[in-house]
Amino acid sequence: MRFHVLYRFLLFGSFLFPLLNGTAQQKKALVVAISNYPQNSGFRSINSVNDLPLIENALLKLGFKESDIKIIKEESATKKKIVSTLEDDFLNSLKPGDIAYFHFSGHGQQVQDLNGDELDGYDEALVPYDAFMEFVPGLYEGENHLLDDEIQVIFSKIRLKLGSKGHFLTTIDACHSGTSTRHIGCARGTDFPLEQEGYKKQLKLAKQDQNQSESSIVNETKMASMVSFFGSIASQLNYEIQAEDGKNYGALSYAFSKAMNSISAGSSYQQLFDRIRIIIGMHINNQIPEASGQLDQPILGGKFLGTPNYYLVKEWQNNNNVIVDAGFLNGITPGTIVGFYPPETRDPKNARPIAIGTVKESSGSSSKVEIPDGLRSEDCQQAWVIVKEENFGDLKIDLQLKGEFTFIDSTLFEELFALPYLNKVSENPDLILIEDNNDFALITKHDIQITRIKKTSSRNDLFYKLNAAITQFGQSQYIRKLTQENKQIKLVFDLLLVSRGGIKVSEIFSRDSLKDHLGNIKLKLGDVVKIQVTNTGTKPAYYTLLDIQPNNKTNVLFPKANESPADYYLSPGSNFIIPTSFIIEPPLGQELFKLIATRNPINLRPLAQRRSITQGSDKDQDPFEKLFSQSFYESKTRGATNASLPAGQVNIFSLHFLIEK
């Protein structure tokens, strides 16, 4: 029984949260993380333990007490320990009406079905520390894997203990299966199922009733509601994300923790999941997270208070160095400029800061700020720390070489790595160049092919094609991660289906018809769509739409090359359907649209594509246009750039959609 199916059929009970009649509601959490599996297990080491501070930070924001967050990690996380902790310590600590949370970071694997309840013949399983990858008759047959059938029983006990007024939230940062053939990126799972020899053949012969159900009927009336998040759908690998501090984290752990720092009070699980989906899509464009449960309910029953738009000083070290309680999960990265203001400063643009500092180091939930002019201890105790200028980091690409490359002139690589934005690495790359039969293949660490070049190509052709492909990839990844919010100039957009299969769509076709049950938008090749833009802010704004294709090619969709950016303008509360229709074309995969809203008209096209070649001075150029030009176009000649932008200068609305046949 698949985890995502299992959780769905467990989720139809009462979704009301407790008015506890004077009884204090508790929040209890159990977090499991395994990085270093035994060498003889067959499972490679991953970076799950890195997830622990991120998850803990997210739970603290959700109102969990540090003393109520229990952690099991590494060699302690055996199947027996996980099960006994869940069934004894964790279960016994709960009362009716409480809120419980369970998280797992580690490997996942498919296991041959033992009880015949799986249509595909495989159970999904979490991989504890003492599990082994291979089925060896008489020695190891999967007894230490934690099967979804077993988890169903344990979770049902927890939900019964919590009762109809309780709530259970789970996050699983492991993959159940996958289709990778090169095993390049750091993924949490394997496409090698645990099965005895000849099982596939037996399974094929044993196929019977295709209408059998993977779920069973359970009485939900006395159970707590449950919502679950997963790093990827069952058919995909769940990759790790390299964060702003250079460390690898689980995609779901990173996205869940970062999303918790940007949602407002009263937000729903659907809004949280939408953020998770966007964050993962900004880093990995071939991985789709999954969720189950009633997502339109408020997070923790509305008990989540949201995140303030200011931070506090966590530690005063000396007059010139302090630690603030915000890090890269809050968008605070090295180079960010912050102001220290008197408490209750509601309009920092028109207020004078006590001091100004620059972030020098940043972890997930804290940052070290250097203050050149100094800040006294007594002045910083209650000060509000507010971002004045955001930093988007350097445009840089890490490239790994895999192969002998005897066909290539050695000076080619010398010239290639002389490019100011390209670094040669031996591990954790952004791109990998490999020898593949008669070609050289440039692929991402997530196994997406960027380009293929014949080994018989001339030295100059090879350099030009590699340089162009690497630069295009780096620029698209840089733009993909750009995000900034501004409630005053906030624009959003919807995709409107015009025709499918050459047949015009009825006007009663709802835009929600493009979405699946989780809100994922799915389009088919040949679909014709239009875009409706809506101004949900309080100020008029100009807008530009960027398209990042599954193959990492970036396009400026509008304004078109022969149009003026000043024509794309929208007043507060109004909406407009762009007359231009777009035909959905290859490549297949997950595409990303970014709607850039600005106070002034901007032109993000290179000079050669603009209607007018006349340029104003840097002083007249919009800050975002200047940042975009420096990082996107000028990088080819000027190299890596450290790009900054005044806080709240633009609003960037991102929308992912999946292109299918």
Side-chain angles (χ1 to χ4, degrees):
M1 182 176 302
R2 298 188 185 282
F3 287 122
H4 60 290
V5 174
L6 157 67
Y7 295 150
R8 284 191 192 116
F9 83 77
L10 290 174
L11 297 170
F12 299 106
S14 168
F15 287 92
L16 298 176
F17 286 78
L19 299 174
L20 294 174
N21 299 321
T23 303
Q25 181 190 54
Q26 297 184 103
K27 298 183 179 78
K28 301 283 187 177
L30 177 62
V31 181
V32 179
I34 311 166
S35 287
N36 299 300
Y37 286 82
Q39 190 171 359
N40 64 347
S41 70
F43 292 102
R44 64 174 174 175
S45 294
I46 47 180
N47 297 282
S48 300
V49 172
N50 288 352
D51 301 347
L52 292 176
L54 302 193
I55 295 298
E56 186 174 13
N57 177 68
L59 292 176
L60 293 175
K61 289 188 177 298
L62 284 168
F64 287 75
K65 296 178 181 178
E66 190 171 351
S67 58
D68 288 331
I69 303 172
K70 182 174 179 58
I71 294 173
I72 305 176
K73 63 180 181 179
E74 299 295 46
E75 64 272 9
S76 297
T78 62
K79 178 179 180 178
K80 182 178 179 180
K81 178 67 173 178
I82 296 171
V83 171
S84 64
T85 302
L86 278 169
E87 291 190 323
D88 297 328
D89 300 347
F90 191 62
L91 184 63
N92 291 335
S93 71
L94 300 172
K95 314 188 304 294
D98 282 350
I99 291 175
Y101 172 83
F102 175 76
H103 174 87
F104 181 85
S105 283
H107 279 298
Q109 188 179 19
Q110 287 189 314
V111 178
Q112 67 178 52
D113 181 23
L114 300 178
N115 60 6
D117 68 339
E118 298 289 345
L119 293 179
D120 66 351
Y122 291 96
D123 284 304
E124 260 72 48
L126 302 182
V127 180
Y129 180 82
D130 55 343
F132 293 86
M133 182 184 290
E134 293 192 36
F135 188 104
V136 182
L139 293 177
Y140 185 76
E141 299 181 359
E143 53 268 21
N144 290 339
H145 278 65
L146 188 51
L147 303 182
D148 50 11
D149 294 332
E150 298 172 296
I151 292 177
Q152 171 195 347
V153 175
I154 297 171
F155 283 3
S156 292
K157 291 179 182 178
I158 292 173
R159 295 179 63 219
L160 281 170
K161 182 69 176 290
L162 293 172
S164 61
K165 294 183 178 180
H167 182 59
F168 192 20
L169 173 63
T170 70
T171 49
I172 307 297
D173 207 343
C175 56
H176 311 142
S177 63
T179 56
S180 174
T181 56
R182 298 187 178 98
H183 303 285
I184 294 167
C186 191
R188 297 188 170 183
T190 174
D191 51 7
F192 182 85
L194 184 76
E195 60 186 5
Q196 65 190 85
E197 186 176 354
Y199 177 70
K200 284 188 175 68
K201 184 176 181 180
Q202 296 172 23
L203 178 65
K204 185 176 181 180
L205 294 174
K207 287 289 183 181
Q208 299 176 11
D209 183 7
Q210 293 298 317
N211 295 317
Q212 78 179 85
S213 173
E214 290 187 334
S215 64
S216 60
I217 299 175
V218 293
N219 184 355
E220 298 285 336
T221 58
K222 296 181 180 180
M223 284 187 170
S225 61
M226 182 174 173
V227 168
S228 301
F229 295 127
F230 309 89
S232 65
I233 59 178
S235 61
Q236 294 177 329
L237 286 169
N238 176 28
Y239 288 99
E240 294 186 340
I241 286 175
Q242 184 177 18
E244 292 83 342
D245 61 353
K247 296 180 181 178
N248 275 20
Y249 299 91
L252 179 61
S253 299
Y254 174 86
F256 175 73
S257 304
K258 195 160 190 174
M260 287 304 308
N261 285 278
S262 60
I263 58 175
S264 57
S267 295
S268 67
Y269 280 114
Q270 183 65 61
Q271 290 171 301
L272 175 60
F273 181 64
D274 288 342
R275 294 247 179 191
I276 289 171
R277 181 166 45 205
I278 289 170
I279 292 169
I280 290 179
M282 287 178 177
H283 293 264
I284 310 169
N285 64 334
N286 62 336
Q287 178 174 322
I288 301 173
E290 190 169 23
S292 60
Q294 186 170 319
L295 301 183
D296 57 358
Q297 63 179 306
I299 298 170
L300 300 190
K303 304 291 184 181
F304 175 63
L305 299 178
T307 303
N309 59 357
Y310 64 88
Y311 310 105
L312 299 174
V313 175
K314 190 175 183 180
E315 177 187 346
W316 182 86
Q317 296 182 323
N318 53 54
N319 282 353
N320 300 107
N321 294 279
V322 301
I323 306 296
V324 300
D325 66 344
F328 64 74
L329 293 175
N330 310 85
I332 309 297
T333 55
T336 300
I337 297 175
V338 298
F340 296 80
Y341 293 86
E344 304 299 327
T345 299
R346 305 293 176 182
D347 185 14
K349 288 185 178 180
N350 297 313
R352 183 175 181 180
I354 303 169
I356 294 176
T358 302
V359 175
K360 294 300 180 182
E361 301 173 13
S362 178
S363 65
S365 58
S366 64
S367 298
K368 183 176 182 179
V369 181
E370 183 180 273
I371 308 166
D373 296 332
L375 179 65
R376 298 182 304 172
S377 174
E378 54 268 32
D379 289 335
C380 77
Q381 289 179 2
Q382 301 296 323
W384 282 14
V385 184
I386 300 175
V387 175
K388 291 181 65 65
E389 189 172 297
E390 296 185 70
N391 186 274
F392 296 101
D394 295 330
L395 171 61
K396 66 181 184 69
I397 309 154
D398 292 333
L399 175 65
Q400 181 180 3
L401 304 179
K402 282 194 172 184
E404 299 297 328
F405 299 105
T406 53
F407 289 85
I408 295 182
D409 182 342
S410 61
T411 61
L412 181 143
F413 286 130
E414 293 176 7
E415 186 177 353
L416 198 63
F417 287 111
L419 296 171
Y421 51 84
L422 189 63
N423 302 316
K424 184 178 181 180
V425 298
S426 58
E427 60 181 14
N428 206 15
D430 299 307
L431 290 173
I432 305 101
L433 182 65
I434 63 174
E435 292 187 85
D436 192 6
N437 296 321
N438 296 320
D439 299 335
F440 296 117
L442 186 67
I443 59 177
T444 73
K445 61 182 176 183
H446 304 129
D447 208 16
I448 296 176
Q449 181 173 292
I450 302 300
T451 189
R452 295 182 73 88
I453 307 172
K454 291 291 184 183
K455 286 183 177 180
T456 53
S457 300
S458 69
R459 189 261 189 208
N460 287 342
D461 279 352
L462 187 57
F463 175 82
Y464 173 79
K465 290 176 181 178
L466 284 176
N467 185 10
I470 291 169
T471 302
Q472 176 182 290
F473 167 81
Q475 291 166 343
S476 68
Q477 290 299 98
Y478 187 84
I479 300 303
R480 181 186 293 275
K481 296 176 185 178
L482 284 182
T483 179
Q484 195 177 71
E485 293 191 33
N486 186 321
K487 294 181 180 179
Q488 292 184 328
I489 53 171
K490 188 173 183 179
L491 269 63
V492 301
F493 71 93
D494 290 299
L495 295 176
L496 308 178
L497 186 63
V498 176
S499 69
R500 171 164 286 176
I503 302 173
K504 186 177 180 181
V505 173
S506 169
E507 292 183 0
I508 63 172
F509 184 91
S510 168
R511 66 194 64 182
D512 289 334
S513 300
L514 292 173
K515 299 178 181 179
D516 63 15
H517 67 286
L518 295 177
N520 295 307
I521 299 174
K522 296 184 177 181
L523 295 172
K524 298 183 179 296
L525 289 179
D527 282 354
V528 178
V529 298
K530 285 191 175 182
I531 294 171
Q532 177 173 280
V533 182
T534 303
N535 188 335
T536 61
T538 60
K539 301 287 184 181
Y542 297 89
Y543 56 97
T544 297
L545 186 67
L546 302 180
D547 167 36
I548 304 177
Q549 298 178 181
N551 61 357
N552 291 288
K553 182 179 179 181
T554 300
N555 308 296
V556 181
L557 294 185
F558 58 72
K560 291 185 285 188
N562 62 343
E563 296 176 328
S564 169
D567 293 337
Y568 286 80
Y569 172 89
L570 208 58
S571 301
S574 60
N575 60 66
F576 180 67
I577 298 178
I578 307 297
T580 304
S581 296
F582 297 93
I583 301 176
I584 303 303
E585 298 177 334
L588 300 175
Q590 191 165 217
E591 195 139 347
L592 173 63
F593 278 0
K594 279 184 173 285
L595 186 71
I596 316 294
T598 55
R599 300 177 187 275
N600 306 303
I602 59 174
N603 196 334
L604 302 185
R605 294 181 179 277
L607 288 178
Q609 295 181 17
R610 299 186 183 188
R611 186 175 67 174
S612 173
I613 303 298
T614 305
Q615 271 191 301
S617 65
D618 283 351
K619 183 178 179 181
D620 298 328
Q621 194 175 22
D622 180 270
F624 184 81
E625 183 177 346
K626 184 176 181 181
L627 176 150
F628 190 88
S629 297
Q630 288 177 344
S631 62
F632 194 73
Y633 300 123
E634 297 174 12
S635 62
K636 292 184 178 181
T637 55
R638 299 186 184 181
T641 179
N642 191 285
S644 297
L645 192 68
Q649 185 67 33
V650 302
N651 187 84
I652 303 176
F653 178 78
S654 300
L655 183 72
H656 292 93
F657 56 93
L658 189 65
I659 300 177
E660 301 176 321
K661 287 184 179 179

